[in-house]
Amino acid sequence: MDTVSIILFLLLAVVVSGAISRMLPVSLPTPLVQILLGAGIGLSTSYRVELDPELFLLLFLPPLLFLDGWRIPKDELLKDLSTVVELALGLVLMTVIGMGLFIHWMIPAMPMAVAFALAAVVSPTDPIAVSAIAARVPIPKRMMHILEGESLLNDASGLVCLRFAIAAALTGTFSAGAAALDFLWVAGAGLAIGVAVTLSVTRAKAWVTKRWGEDTGSQILVSLLIPFGSYLLAEHVHASGILAAVSAGVTMTFAEISRQAMAITRMRRNSVWDTIQFALNGIIFVLLGEQLPAILADAKETVALTGHGTLWWLAVYIVAIVAGLAALRFLWVWISFRLTILRKRDRNIELQSPNWRLVAAMSFAGVRGAITLAGVLTLPLALDDGSPFPARDLAIFLAAGVIIVSLILATIALPLLLRGLVMPPDQSKQAEEDAARVTTAEAAIRAIEQRQHALAEKHGEADLYAAAGARVMDFYRERIESRTNGLSDARKAEERLVREFQLVGIRAEREALLGLGRSRAIGSGIAQKLNRELDLSEARYRG
């Protein structure tokens, strides 16, 4: 019962934090509010949540990374792949090496392997925290795609580096050659297992559906089990469960193209996954806040590990680590943009220096969040000989401080830097979208005509089928005409007004339906059915 109560209480805290963040007169990112709320919970009760590192990693990371891999726009990722790879792999490797050496130099009491482990957990970025920070100041789409792609890959690369650092700390030895071979197995097998599990499951699901029909609940449950199955299978063969979850998510996109689920299944599945993403990310930040009082209570013992006696040294270390991360990221982003995005503008002109605001915004957008916390909490409690893991509490304290300080800095700096900022020009997608709409409309007209003729030949009454088909085909012909010839300014204004009038009508329908329900003029079943129809219509016109 205690475990169930804790889970329910954490979920309630996530809900309350969302409401509080909307009520505040100043714009604070939801993750920061969740940390503060968690700290309040930790201060108000003597009960502490005991986090099992392995269980924490299993419950939180596979579904979050799987969903990131599933939903990230693949075309946009491939377009800026060179930039993303440079940030997600090159910058992570530079951060682990550079910051690991810097942390060990700054805190000699922290063993080299633990310093590299800490550098590995602070290397991944969190785009969800960035989105929350910039909710009132829109991030350029291309920048957000780069941040999402970077986060997807650097989550995996950072945690793989963490795995090697922990192994070195536990065994006391490190071999570059053995690590390289181990990395090839860990990464290659992890990626392959994620792809294989997803393809096998989706094909089996499609085979069952084709013969015996589709059950919406089962389909959603299968999608929830795929990341955990991929993770556990990869870990069982000593490969990377993290990379398996990521590759499973990416594969899910392509598997869905050839094996489509029913519309109702996709809509309900999206809602379930949105809820899971919101709950898991929120719980992670609430747990961070809940752990802070205990971490701060042991601050005197923690600072003693460093050879100092005053608590201010911990703040100095946190600020120094954040400054080092920011400097490395600024330099790397500047070089990366100079060599990739800006060169693509015109390959015949000399390289130009990136806009400093663009580089600064990308640097401050490197906020640490859920993955950093999840990673640092997976540090073992003890070594193989049973002795306590060296400097574990210090590493957790510093990682938590980096998360909080990076959130605060980004909260202040990003809105200022993003206001009026534009990315290097990108090719418009409107022509591609218009062509797709025309192609699908033409396919619809052909299918309706064929069905029309088939019904007329079978049942007669050709006029009836012609009239019904014409009403539907007129809608598609109007779409073809507007998308082929382009939309004039007057037509665009008319479409905006049509959308506005549709929403006005839907609101009126909803109010009338509410009145009918309250007066018992209709039953609850009919009211729910009509409400669902209005929900779908409203979602369409607001989309």
Side-chain angles (χ1 to χ4, degrees):
M1 287 299 294
D2 287 343
T3 303
V4 175
S5 299
I6 291 171
I7 293 172
L8 294 176
F9 195 71
L10 289 173
L11 291 172
L12 177 61
V14 173
V15 174
V16 172
S17 67
I20 292 175
S21 65
R22 293 191 298 271
M23 296 176 187
L24 291 174
V26 294
S27 178
L28 280 181
T30 302
L32 196 55
V33 175
Q34 289 165 343
I35 292 173
L36 295 174
L37 181 61
I41 294 172
L43 290 171
S44 61
T45 178
S46 59
Y47 188 84
R48 290 287 175 268
V49 178
E50 298 294 334
L51 296 176
D52 183 330
E54 293 299 325
L55 182 61
F56 188 88
L57 194 68
L58 169 63
L59 291 179
F60 288 91
L61 293 193
L64 291 176
L65 295 177
F66 174 81
L67 188 60
D68 285 344
W70 189 358
R71 289 186 171 177
I72 188 170
K74 307 303 183 295
D75 292 337
E76 285 75 4
L77 177 63
L78 292 175
K79 179 178 60 181
D80 289 317
L81 185 61
S82 57
T83 303
V84 170
V85 171
E86 288 172 7
L87 291 172
L89 300 181
L91 180 56
V92 165
L93 186 61
M94 181 65 68
T95 300
V96 172
I97 296 173
M99 293 305 299
L101 294 173
F102 175 70
I103 292 170
H104 181 66
W105 169 82
M106 183 172 60
I107 313 174
M110 179 177 285
M112 180 72 78
V114 181
F116 280 123
L118 177 58
V121 298
V122 298
S123 60
T125 55
D126 187 353
I128 295 173
V130 178
S131 300
I133 292 169
R136 299 184 184 179
V137 184
I139 298 180
K141 286 185 178 180
R142 191 173 183 185
M143 177 185 288
M144 199 62 208
H145 291 325
I146 292 175
L147 290 172
E148 288 172 343
E150 176 197 4
S151 175
L152 176 66
L153 296 180
N154 69 16
D155 288 348
S157 57
L159 292 173
V160 169
C161 291
L162 172 64
R163 173 179 178 150
F164 290 128
I166 291 176
L170 292 175
T171 61
T173 60
F174 179 77
S175 169
L181 292 175
D182 192 24
F183 177 80
L184 290 177
W185 167 256
V186 165
L191 292 171
I193 287 173
V195 172
V197 168
T198 303
L199 291 178
S200 301
V201 170
T202 53
R203 286 180 179 177
K205 184 177 64 173
W207 183 81
V208 172
T209 299
K210 184 177 180 180
R211 283 160 178 75
W212 294 286
E214 179 173 306
D215 178 68
T216 298
S218 298
Q219 297 280 333
I220 296 172
L221 186 57
V222 166
S223 73
L224 295 176
L225 292 175
I226 288 175
F228 295 104
S230 302
Y231 179 89
L232 290 172
L233 182 58
E235 290 294 323
H236 182 70
V237 298
H238 305 292
S240 172
I242 300 300
L243 284 173
V246 171
S247 64
V250 173
T251 307
M252 194 72 174
T253 304
F254 301 102
E256 285 285 291
I257 293 175
S258 57
R259 287 173 282 278
Q260 287 288 344
M262 293 192 304
I264 189 65
T265 299
R266 291 196 301 273
M267 289 188 291
R268 290 178 179 175
R269 186 178 59 194
N270 287 337
S271 299
V272 169
W273 272 106
D274 287 340
T275 304
I276 289 175
Q277 183 183 44
F278 173 76
L280 292 183
N281 276 293
I283 288 175
I284 287 176
F285 285 110
V286 172
L287 281 175
L288 169 59
E290 190 272 339
Q291 299 287 307
L292 281 181
I295 294 173
L296 293 174
D298 298 332
K300 289 185 179 180
E301 291 79 3
T302 302
V303 76
L305 296 173
T306 67
H308 299 288
T310 57
L311 299 180
W312 287 108
W313 278 102
L314 293 176
V316 171
Y317 292 148
I318 291 172
V319 171
I321 292 172
V322 171
L325 290 169
L328 273 176
R329 185 173 178 85
F330 186 93
L331 178 62
W332 194 274
V333 169
W334 187 86
I335 295 173
S336 178
F337 277 20
R338 182 178 173 83
L339 295 177
T340 55
I341 291 180
L342 295 176
R343 172 180 285 180
K344 292 177 182 177
R345 284 178 166 182
D346 189 342
R347 298 185 181 275
N348 297 322
I349 63 175
E350 295 183 359
L351 296 180
Q352 303 178 21
S353 294
N355 184 324
W356 74 268
R357 286 179 60 206
L358 174 60
V359 177
M362 284 291 296
S363 301
F364 279 107
V367 178
R368 274 63 187 177
I371 301 300
T372 293
L373 177 61
V376 76
L377 290 175
T378 60
L379 292 177
L381 297 173
L383 298 175
D384 291 339
D385 60 4
S387 59
F389 191 86
R392 183 179 189 271
D393 291 341
L394 177 59
I396 292 175
F397 186 97
L398 295 177
V402 168
I403 293 171
I404 295 172
V405 172
S406 67
L407 278 169
I408 294 173
L409 287 177
T411 302
I412 298 171
L414 271 182
L416 299 175
L417 293 169
L418 288 173
R419 190 167 290 116
L421 180 67
V422 294
M423 289 285 288
D426 192 15
Q427 184 179 1
S428 174
K429 295 286 186 179
Q430 190 59 52
E432 181 180 340
E433 178 182 337
D434 290 343
R437 289 184 183 276
V438 169
T439 300
T440 55
E442 290 172 345
I445 290 174
R446 287 194 299 270
I448 293 169
E449 288 176 341
Q450 291 173 1
R451 181 64 174 169
Q452 207 176 28
H453 295 321
L455 289 173
E457 290 177 0
K458 184 176 181 180
H459 302 291
E461 301 184 36
D463 292 341
L464 173 63
Y465 298 121
R471 290 177 57 185
V472 180
M473 288 189 288
D474 284 345
F475 166 77
Y476 288 109
R477 291 191 178 105
E478 183 180 356
R479 179 199 293 181
I480 293 173
E481 182 181 357
S482 63
R483 298 294 171 174
T484 302
N485 300 327
L487 295 177
S488 63
D489 291 339
R491 183 59 182 271
K492 290 179 181 178
E494 181 183 340
E495 288 201 349
R496 284 194 297 268
L497 287 173
V498 168
R499 188 178 297 109
E500 179 183 343
F501 293 154
Q502 289 283 3
L503 292 173
V504 170
I506 290 171
R507 284 194 294 269
E509 285 187 78
R510 202 181 297 280
E511 290 175 4
L513 183 62
L514 183 61
L516 291 172
R518 286 175 175 173
S519 65
R520 308 287 183 178
I522 58 174
S524 60
I526 294 176
Q528 290 174 357
K529 176 184 177 182
L530 296 179
N531 249 324
R532 283 196 298 269
E533 293 177 1
L534 291 175
D535 289 341
L536 292 173
S537 298
E538 184 174 352
R540 174 189 175 190
Y541 289 109
R542 288 191 184 277

